[in-house]
Amino acid sequence: MFIISITYIKSAGEIDALLTARRQYLKEHFANGTFLMSGRKVPRNGSVILADGGDRADIEAIVQEDPFFIGDVATYEITEFVPSMTTELLSAFRPTEKN
């Protein structure tokens, strides 16, 4: 599981100019199951994506497809974590115990 923290480094106008392409990018990765949740930070100085699937190299490659990355309007921090506790709703993301 990965938390992708995006921080804007350009003006709101430059960010907004890429929003249509960004929404398509997000839709694609939600449709294939890689992205589980996303949203903007408050205040609006970036966004966060919760992702599942593959390894860190796979997530890094997906990040490089982001129109914000391509447009050099944001920086990215990728944090990998193992969800040891979840609500029942998210239990499918808990690691299975090995006997």
Side-chain angles (χ1 to χ4, degrees):
M1 187 78 57
F2 299 87
I3 299 169
I4 305 167
S5 180
I6 298 119
T7 302
Y8 302 149
I9 58 172
K10 299 288 174 86
S11 71
E14 291 172 280
I15 299 297
D16 290 345
L18 297 171
L19 282 178
T20 299
R22 179 83 184 315
R23 286 187 185 112
Q24 185 58 40
Y25 160 82
L26 292 171
K27 285 179 185 179
E28 174 186 328
H29 290 287
F30 273 105
N32 71 23
T34 302
F35 291 171
L36 306 175
M37 189 179 301
S38 69
R40 64 183 172 150
K41 294 179 182 177
V42 178
R44 186 182 176 216
N45 61 1
S47 59
V48 174
I49 300 170
L50 184 62
D52 185 41
D55 59 20
R56 186 177 186 89
D58 294 331
I59 297 300
E60 288 172 351
I62 289 168
V63 162
Q64 291 177 9
E65 299 170 358
D66 187 338
F68 288 175
F69 182 90
I70 295 166
D72 195 32
V73 299
T75 60
Y76 294 74
E77 180 181 354
I78 300 170
T79 304
E80 185 172 4
F81 74 102
V82 177
S84 56
M85 293 180 71
T86 68
T87 67
E88 196 57 38
L89 180 65
L90 299 174
S91 63
F93 298 103
R94 293 181 204 147
T96 57
E97 292 186 31
K98 296 178 181 174
N99 296 326

